[in-house]
Amino acid sequence: MDIFTLTNRLADDVDALQFSGKVACVYNPLRYAEKAHTRYLERFSTGRKRILFLGMNPGPWGMAQIGVPFGEINAARDWLGIHEEIGKPENEHPKRPVQGFDCQRSEVSGRRLWGLFSSRFATPEDFFRDHYVANYCPLVFMEDSGKNFTPDKLPKAESAPLYEACDRHLTGLIELLEPEFLIGVGNFALKRLETIVKGSSAIQDRAPVTASILHPSPASPAANRGWDGAVLEKMYAIGAWQKQESGTDTSEVGRLG
C-alpha cells in the first residue's frame, strides 16, 4: 500500500468518528488542506527513511492552517517550498479561523523543529533523503472557548477507535518507510511508537531504535531553556546523528543506497 492510499484511508477512518464532551470543533486538515498535504507527500515521502520523527497532532497555527506536519508557515513556504490553496473545515470555530498561508500567527513548535533541521541540512532534499516527519493523529480538537484540546485527554470510549485508526496508519507508514530510528516528539508520540513496535512482529524483526526528543512547545520550560541543544544531545547519544567538529553538518551516520 502506498502512502497516498494510507493517508486517504486514515482521513476516511477519522471522519467517521464522533466526539463529545469538551470537544466543540474538530478539524481534519487532510481534507481542507489536502493540496498542501499531498504536495508534502509527493515531494518528501518517497523511498526508505532512516529516521522517522512523529508528533502528536496538528497545532492550531501550524498543520491546522496549512496541512504540513509541524507546519510553521514561513518554514513550509520558504524552506519546504510548499504554498497551496487551503480550504475551510466544515465546522469552523469563530476564534480559530483557518487562514491558510495568510495566517499571521507563528507555530513555535514548528519554528523550532524546522529551524533545527534547516540549520543542519542545506536543503529540504538533503534532510528528507533519510528523514521524515509525520503526526500520529491528523485531527485538531477545540473546546467551546477555542482552547486547544489534545487527543490524550479524550475519554477512552472516544480515544480507543481514534487510536485504532491512527495505529493502523502508523504501522503501515513504518512498514513502508522502514526507518531505523523511531523518534517521538514528546512522550505521547513515544508511547504510540512503542505500542506499534510491540504489536508488529515484522517491525520488531527490523529492531528499530525507539526514543523520544523533548517536545518543542513553548509551554515546556525545558524547551524554552534550550530545545536545540537538548535535541542534539539526544540524537547524538542514540547514534541517530553524528556530531560534526566543524563546517556544515549533514548529520547522518550513513545514507541509504
Side-chain angles (χ1 to χ4, degrees):
M1 186 179 295
D2 63 37
I3 198 166
F4 301 100
T5 304
L6 281 172
T7 301
N8 288 333
R9 185 178 69 175
L10 176 63
D12 288 341
D13 287 345
V14 298
D15 274 349
L17 302 177
Q18 294 185 342
F19 304 93
S20 58
K22 288 187 176 182
V23 176
C25 286
V26 180
Y27 292 1
N28 185 355
L30 297 182
R31 296 300 193 199
Y32 62 83
E34 181 180 7
K35 289 183 179 179
H37 190 74
T38 298
R39 182 65 171 153
Y40 177 77
L41 297 180
E42 289 173 342
R43 290 197 62 192
F44 302 125
S45 70
T46 57
R48 291 173 56 205
K49 306 295 182 181
R50 184 169 173 271
I51 300 173
L52 171 66
F53 290 97
L54 185 76
M56 177 188 283
N57 74 313
W61 314 115
M63 187 174 177
Q65 295 293 328
I66 61 172
V68 175
F70 288 92
E72 204 277 332
I73 290 170
N74 291 335
R77 182 188 59 224
D78 301 335
W79 197 59
L80 299 180
I82 297 176
H83 192 181
E84 303 289 341
E85 180 182 355
I86 305 298
K88 291 280 190 177
E90 291 185 5
N91 182 22
E92 188 175 46
H93 195 291
K95 294 184 179 180
R96 292 290 182 267
V98 171
Q99 299 171 310
F101 284 88
D102 293 328
C103 180
Q104 299 300 305
R105 294 284 296 266
S106 176
E107 183 75 71
V108 176
S109 294
R111 188 170 74 237
R112 286 173 171 170
L113 190 82
W114 294 113
L116 174 62
F117 297 157
S118 63
S119 74
R120 300 178 66 79
F121 296 85
T123 68
E125 288 75 19
D126 289 336
F127 172 75
F128 282 102
R129 186 174 296 116
D130 287 346
H131 301 72
Y132 193 65
V133 179
N135 272 324
Y136 173 72
C137 171
L139 299 180
V140 185
F141 303 94
M142 282 157 283
E143 299 180 10
D144 280 326
S145 64
K147 181 182 178 181
N148 191 47
F149 186 90
T150 53
D152 58 317
K153 297 177 182 177
L154 290 167
K156 188 172 182 180
E158 296 180 359
S159 66
L162 174 65
Y163 288 11
E164 181 180 355
C166 295
D167 283 355
R168 182 165 55 245
H169 176 265
L170 181 56
T171 300
L173 184 65
I174 294 172
E175 291 175 347
L176 183 66
L177 300 181
E178 299 182 339
E180 299 173 25
F181 292 86
L182 302 173
I183 309 298
V185 183
N187 289 328
F188 174 89
L190 172 64
K191 291 177 181 178
R192 300 320 305 165
L193 287 167
E194 290 175 338
T195 297
I196 296 302
V197 173
K198 184 178 180 180
S200 171
S201 58
I203 294 175
Q204 288 178 28
D205 288 344
R206 289 198 296 272
V209 175
T210 305
S212 68
I213 58 173
L214 181 66
H215 197 285
S217 170
S220 166
N224 294 335
R225 288 194 298 268
W227 181 80
D228 285 27
V231 171
L232 292 177
E233 182 178 351
K234 184 61 172 288
M235 295 296 283
Y236 297 151
I238 65 175
W241 286 353
Q242 282 185 330
K243 182 181 291 189
Q244 295 294 111
E245 294 182 1
S246 62
T248 301
D249 184 11
T250 56
S251 298
E252 298 91 343
V253 173
R255 293 193 178 278
L256 301 177

